[in-house]
Each structure stands twice: as structure tokens, then as C-alpha cells.
Amino acid sequence: MQSKENLTCTEEVRVRFNETDPLGIVWHGHYIVYFEDGREAFGRQHGLTYLDIQKAGFVTPIVKSTCEHFLPLKYGETFNIVTTFINSVSAKLIYKYEIFNQENKLVCSGETIQVFLDSDNNLCLYNPEFFQNWKNKMGL
């Protein structure tokens, strides 16, 4: 059951060989890519994909990202990306991420913040209509 404040999605991923460094562990920069995988899965599950945003005439560049590392992932392991949409009254998309290894131990956590730009690259100070309609549909 989803909270009325936040929506969540879980996606399972396998570490690919090209994502590891010479030590056989995932290079730190790939965790931001995993966050993207989580956002894409969230969008497919909850009806808020990048294509939906583009069709409405907007883009959503990332203006802030954070990532804290706790444990390594290694080649061949599977892991879960838990992506949570953090509801805000502001015209922005805030996602929180938690990556758990095969033993369900927290590997890393982070957050991204995206803003809405219209077709003229103007910053939207209010929720675009399509986004507010989506939030209403989701009970947010």
C-alpha cells in the first residue's frame, strides 16, 4: 500500500562487467546511473515517464544529486533499487534512492532534484498542469 505522501518503486538490476573497476567492484560513478534506472522504472510503474513529460512540452534537468556509499557491489551480483518520489508543493521532482544488495543490506542512498523547464527553457515556478493532474490522480 502506498503512502499518500510518497510513491515507491523497486527494480532489480544485475551488475554488469563494464560497470566494475580493476578491483572488481562497481565504480562509484555508476551509482548515479543506477538512480536513473530507478527513475525510469518509477516512471513506467506510475505513469510519469520522460516521454510523458516531453509530450507535455517540458524537460526536467537535474539540479542536485547526492550519493552516500556504505558497501560495495561486485560483478554478477543482483541488487534492488528502491526509488521513492518525495511529494513537494514546489514545481520539482524529488526522488530518494536506496540500493540494497542480495543480503538486503544498504549499499548506498541518495537523492536527486529536478526542475521543470518549458519549451523556451524557462523555469516553471508552479506545477505544470499535466504534473498537477498526475499528482491529483496519485492522491498526492
Side-chain angles (χ1 to χ4, degrees):
M1 180 139 151
Q2 296 292 332
S3 159
K4 286 295 183 188
E5 290 300 311
N6 303 313
L7 298 172
T8 300
C9 172
T10 301
E11 177 84 350
E12 185 178 72
V13 178
R14 181 174 301 278
V15 174
R16 294 169 288 247
F17 178 76
N18 69 326
E19 297 166 343
T20 61
D21 64 15
L23 301 175
I25 61 174
V26 171
W27 176 66
H28 69 277
H30 286 296
Y31 289 90
I32 297 296
V33 176
Y34 296 155
F35 292 173
E36 177 77 22
D37 292 339
R39 279 195 308 280
E40 294 250 345
F42 179 93
R44 288 188 304 272
Q45 181 176 333
H46 294 291
L48 188 64
T49 67
Y50 287 125
L51 291 175
D52 297 325
I53 294 168
Q54 286 178 335
K55 281 182 202 168
F58 297 89
V59 294
T60 53
I62 291 178
V63 294
K64 183 177 181 183
S65 61
T66 61
C67 185
E68 292 185 80
H69 304 271
F70 307 111
L71 295 170
L73 287 171
K74 296 178 181 172
Y75 171 62
E77 290 182 329
T78 58
F79 60 93
N80 285 315
I81 306 166
V82 179
T83 304
T84 303
F85 174 81
I86 306 298
N87 192 22
S88 169
V89 295
S90 302
K92 58 176 108 175
L93 300 168
I94 304 171
Y95 291 101
K96 181 179 123 187
Y97 310 92
E98 293 176 307
I99 295 180
F100 295 92
N101 65 15
Q102 294 172 169
E103 286 109 37
N104 206 33
K105 292 181 182 173
L106 184 62
V107 169
C108 82
S109 64
E111 183 179 271
T112 57
I113 299 175
Q114 296 167 264
V115 296
F116 290 94
L117 299 180
D118 66 17
S119 58
D120 293 323
N121 286 326
N122 295 311
L123 178 66
C124 299
L125 300 178
Y126 302 98
N127 285 330
E129 184 178 355
F130 87 95
F131 182 56
Q132 188 59 54
N133 290 341
W134 176 82
K135 287 175 73 167
N136 293 343
K137 179 181 170 186
M138 295 292 116
L140 301 173

